[in-house]
């Protein structure tokens, strides 16, 4: 099955920070891909805006190189790339001064959808929003897109929201969490709310626990300075893992509409219990072969920042009381693996002989790699010789079920097209981000006051020993990260 392409209306998209890493790696290659499959109308315009004193041709050269680097050769032809580059303009803009704004205004066309993508430091959100508004470049139906990190605590997130809301309405603001753009994450909503099979079982009567894992094999790479101020809590848990938790735990919204969905997510975040420090494990990776680890990567010998975090979280409401959510994420682990495992309770009475190693029913929602959904069931082992049980998974992996061409979009491509369509469903609302910080802040605050250091774990392993205990003490076990 080939993915359907539904064209969007012509638009003018201004990318602030257009020469930066995210723009080169994700935003512009993603837009090229949308152009290539025919979703982006020819008379759309993409305007790069940044500090660098490029002209349009130099900008196009930069983006040509980025496309060649980040898009496989089989997915592009020179003609397509050149036609796409024709849609690009460039303007040298000073985010905090007057340079470039007049020129930018002159490049924009009347009666076209206008979107402004701020791929810049959050410290510039306020001043760019203000200038877009003061110069009249932003109209009442323009959209503004902002990247994470959206603040580093509740107060800073509130300040960013206030800056944006001074110039734009909430319905114009698109706060990106790229996890919401992942195919399986959206399919999770289809699974829950387009089938009658799962919803009756979707509660603490039937679900024993939920595990959410986002494991990465890479370390902090060149981002040590940012990451050391952030750690796994701010970088991953407050946003990506929190979003996954919300989609699993939320009540069915009345409609698949931005505010109906986001209202339900906010309720989940507000229902989270404060996390007991004994239910949290923080870790830092170390590579014994190379005699160096996270501290060297972060260039901070005294660092207490966690590159790994595991915690047991309780959602205090009728649906989930008694069903814990175990979250874990970390860098330099054995494999890159993001998945959600919804583990069901055992049958109330087992009539068959005990099966060694039985793990029971589980729904495994795999985000990456090999995205798809599997349902683990217990069956009879084939053949004569008595009633022996074994476990098999019903495989709903997309490549198998729908064919390999079905899901080629990257999260960013999908989200940018949603901005153009004016659909905020997969973007975070201001109160949602603030609620997530209000939950995270006391946890981070307690670490700052404590003298406890993160536990060390081996690079390429499964995380600190202590994280095994976190779940073992409840009589449960983590799913394996890699083989
Ligand atoms: C980003 C984090 O938001 O998500 C990174 O800042 C992390 O530290 C990345 O590596 C993970 O995203 P993905 O899509 O590769 O799982």
């Amino acid at each position: 099955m080939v993915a359907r392409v539904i064209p969007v209306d012509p638009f003018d998209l201004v990318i602030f920070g257009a020469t930066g890493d995210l723009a080169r790696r994700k935003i512009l290659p993603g837009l090229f891909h949308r152009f290539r499959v025919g979703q982006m109308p020819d008379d759309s315009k993409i305007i790069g805006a940044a500090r660098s004193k490029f002209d349009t041709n130099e900008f196009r050269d930069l983006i040509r190189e980025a496309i060649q680097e980040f898009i496989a050769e089989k997915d592009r032809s020179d003609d397509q790339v050149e036609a796409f580059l024709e849609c690009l303009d460039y303007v040298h803009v000073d985010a905090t001064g007057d340079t470039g704004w007049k020129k930018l205004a002159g490049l924009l066309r009347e009666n076209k959808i206008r979107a402004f993508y701020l791929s810049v430091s959050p410290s510039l959100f306020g001043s760019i929003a203000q200038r877009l508004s003061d110069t009249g470049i932003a109209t009442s139906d323009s959209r503004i897109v902002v990247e994470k990190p959206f603040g580093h605590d509740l107060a800073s997130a509130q300040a960013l929201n206030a800056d944006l809301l001074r110039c734009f309405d909430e319905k114009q603001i698109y706060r990106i969490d790229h996890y919401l753009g992942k195919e399986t994450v959206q399919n999770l909503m289809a699974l829950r709310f387009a089938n009658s099979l799962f919803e009756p079982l979707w509660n603490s009567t039937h679900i024993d626990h939920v595990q959410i894992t986002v494991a990465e094999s890479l370390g902090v790479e060149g981002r040590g300075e940012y990451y050391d101020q952030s750690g796994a809590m701010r970088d991953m848990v407050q946003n990506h893992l929190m979003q996954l938790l919300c989609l699993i735990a939320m009540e069915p919204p009345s409609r698949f509409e931005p505010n109906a969905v986001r209202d339900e997510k906010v309720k989940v975040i507000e229902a989270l219990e404060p996390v007991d420090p004994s239910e949290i494990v923080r870790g830092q990776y170390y590579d014994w072969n190379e005699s160096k680890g996270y501290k060297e990567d972060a260039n901070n010998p005294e660092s207490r920042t966690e590159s790994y975090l595991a915690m047991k979280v309780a959602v205090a409401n009728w649906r989930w009381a008694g069903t814990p959510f175990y979250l874990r994420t970390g860098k330099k682990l054995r494999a890159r693996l993001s998945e959600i495992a919804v583990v069901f309770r055992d049958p109330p009475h087992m009539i068959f002989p005990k099966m060694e190693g039985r793990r029971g029913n589980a729904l495994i929602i795999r985000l990456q790699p090999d995205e798809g959904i599997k349902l683990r069931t217990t069956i009879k082992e084939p053949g004569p010789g008595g009633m022996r049980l074994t476990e098999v998974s019903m495989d709903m992996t997309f490549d198998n079920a729908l064919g390999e061409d079905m899901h080629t979009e990257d999260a960013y491509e999908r989200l940018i097209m949603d901005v153009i369509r004016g659909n905020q469903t997969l973007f975070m609302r201001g109160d949602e981000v603030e609620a997530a910080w209000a939950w995270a802040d006391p946890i981070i605050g307690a670490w700052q006051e404590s003298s406890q250091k993160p536990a060390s774990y081996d690079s390429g392993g499964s995380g600190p020993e202590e994280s095994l205990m976190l779940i073992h003490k409840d009589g449960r076990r983590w799913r394996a990260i890699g083989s």
Side-chain angles (χ1 to χ4, degrees):
M1 200 192 269
V2 175
R4 266 202 301 159
V5 174
I6 301 167
V8 295
D9 292 334
F11 58 86
D12 286 352
L13 170 66
V14 183
I15 305 172
F16 290 90
T19 55
D21 198 51
L22 184 74
R24 289 178 48 256
R25 272 175 192 279
K26 293 284 184 188
I27 303 173
L28 283 148
L31 283 161
F32 166 70
H33 195 222
R34 292 294 91 206
F35 176 84
R36 189 178 78 96
V37 298
Q39 192 172 29
M40 189 176 131
D42 292 345
D43 58 343
S44 296
K45 203 175 206 185
I46 299 168
I47 303 167
R51 264 181 317 195
S52 319
K53 288 188 177 147
F54 284 169
D55 61 26
T56 294
N57 283 333
E58 286 167 321
F59 180 59
R60 289 179 179 171
D61 290 344
L62 182 85
I63 301 311
R64 184 182 296 109
E65 278 169 29
I67 291 173
Q68 285 162 354
E69 188 177 347
F70 298 113
I71 300 237
E73 226 173 317
K74 69 175 177 43
D75 292 332
R76 58 177 154 88
S77 72
D78 289 348
D79 288 351
Q80 287 165 341
V81 176
E82 293 313 312
F84 173 71
L85 295 176
E86 284 294 309
C87 307
L88 304 192
D89 261 311
Y90 183 80
V91 49
H92 155 60
V93 162
D94 180 358
T96 55
D98 295 331
T99 313
W101 295 94
K102 220 169 164 181
K103 181 171 173 202
L104 175 58
L107 289 173
L108 293 164
R109 290 135 344 137
E110 291 291 321
N111 302 325
K112 291 277 186 285
I113 294 168
R114 285 186 187 178
F116 305 99
Y117 194 132
L118 274 48
S119 178
V120 295
S121 156
S123 61
L124 298 175
F125 289 176
S127 72
I128 294 179
Q130 195 67 55
R131 279 176 173 74
L132 288 171
S133 165
D134 291 350
T135 51
I137 290 177
T139 56
S140 59
D141 64 353
S142 295
R143 289 128 216 201
I144 186 158
V145 185
V146 291
E147 267 295 331
K148 106 176 221 296
F150 198 83
H152 57 269
D153 58 10
L154 176 58
S156 54
Q158 284 170 331
L160 287 177
N161 274 334
D163 282 348
L164 293 175
L165 288 165
R166 247 192 302 281
C167 314
F168 292 86
D169 281 345
E170 181 63 43
K171 66 173 177 12
Q172 298 176 276
I173 305 173
Y174 291 72
R175 297 174 193 78
I176 287 210
D177 182 316
H178 77 281
Y179 265 58
L180 290 177
K182 292 189 190 265
E183 182 71 27
T184 329
V185 174
Q186 291 168 69
N187 206 15
L188 169 58
M189 284 191 271
L191 183 90
R192 282 197 61 195
F193 305 129
N195 295 288
S196 56
L197 202 60
F198 299 105
E199 197 50 28
L201 304 177
W202 212 258
N203 54 52
S204 61
T205 310
H206 301 286
I207 295 178
D208 177 70
H209 73 281
V210 177
Q211 296 185 16
I212 302 179
T213 301
V214 180
E216 297 184 89
S217 51
L218 296 178
V220 293
E221 308 306 302
R223 299 162 72 228
E225 201 181 320
Y226 148 78
Y227 193 90
D228 207 43
Q229 299 300 314
S230 169
M233 182 62 155
R234 290 188 171 106
D235 187 50
M236 299 294 289
V237 176
Q238 183 270 350
N239 36 76
H240 304 325
L241 278 84
M242 177 66 77
Q243 290 297 321
L244 300 181
L245 185 152
C246 283
L247 297 180
I248 291 282
M250 74 191 206
E251 294 300 313
S254 53
R255 292 173 302 280
F256 191 58
E257 277 183 2
N259 280 335
V261 171
R262 297 185 299 179
D263 284 348
E264 297 307 333
K265 289 201 286 165
V266 173
K267 286 185 210 161
V268 172
I269 303 173
E270 288 177 347
L272 294 177
E273 299 256 27
V275 186
D276 190 303
S278 67
E279 305 286 12
I280 300 178
V281 174
R282 302 169 70 225
Q284 246 183 25
Y285 62 79
Y286 192 77
D287 189 331
W288 298 95
N289 292 328
E290 292 190 15
S291 303
K292 73 184 192 70
Y294 171 80
K295 289 189 176 68
E296 287 71 22
D297 287 354
N299 201 14
N300 178 4
E302 301 302 320
S303 176
R304 293 189 171 193
T305 301
E306 75 286 352
S307 59
Y308 177 97
L309 187 56
M311 57 168 74
K312 179 179 169 185
V313 174
V315 183
N317 61 21
W318 274 48
R319 187 187 283 265
W320 295 114
T323 295
F325 286 70
Y326 297 93
L327 315 184
R328 65 179 163 160
T329 182
K331 299 217 179 265
K332 281 266 169 127
L333 294 173
R334 181 171 297 144
R336 179 171 188 250
L337 169 83
S338 298
E339 66 169 31
I340 305 168
V342 178
V343 182
F344 290 88
R345 296 194 191 281
D346 283 337
H349 170 67
M350 203 36 142
I351 62 170
F352 300 111
K354 190 169 172 347
M355 177 196 148
E356 280 311 316
R358 180 173 185 277
R359 292 170 299 169
N361 295 143
L363 186 69
I364 313 299
I365 300 139
R366 175 74 71 92
L367 277 59
Q368 58 202 24
D370 310 326
E371 57 195 71
I373 299 178
K374 288 187 181 179
L375 183 62
R376 193 172 63 211
T377 51
T378 304
I379 59 160
K380 178 190 169 296
E381 203 178 286
M387 189 68 184
R388 290 186 311 274
L389 300 181
T390 187
E391 290 185 323
V392 293
S393 286
M394 290 168 57
D395 190 348
M396 296 178 252
T397 302
F398 304 139
D399 282 353
N400 293 345
L402 302 172
E404 282 183 9
D405 291 337
M406 192 56 205
H407 57 103
T408 45
E409 283 171 57
D410 176 79
Y412 277 93
E413 300 174 40
R414 179 192 320 272
L415 293 173
I416 296 169
M417 288 299 119
D418 276 0
V419 172
I420 303 303
R421 284 194 200 95
N423 184 349
Q424 288 182 302
T425 311
L426 298 176
F427 297 83
M428 292 175 296
R429 209 169 54 192
D431 56 342
E432 194 180 339
V433 181
E434 290 182 15
W437 280 122
W439 170 81
D441 273 2
I443 301 174
I444 298 171
W447 297 339
Q448 282 162 351
E449 278 170 25
S450 127
S451 55
Q452 212 183 355
K453 296 180 185 162
S456 194
Y457 64 93
D458 292 345
S459 288
S462 303
E465 284 284 309
E466 291 82 342
S467 70
L468 298 181
M469 285 317 296
L470 175 81
I471 189 162
H472 280 185
K473 69 180 166 50
D474 296 339
R476 302 177 175 116
R477 57 186 161 155
W478 291 117
R479 286 173 48 80
I481 297 176
S483 43

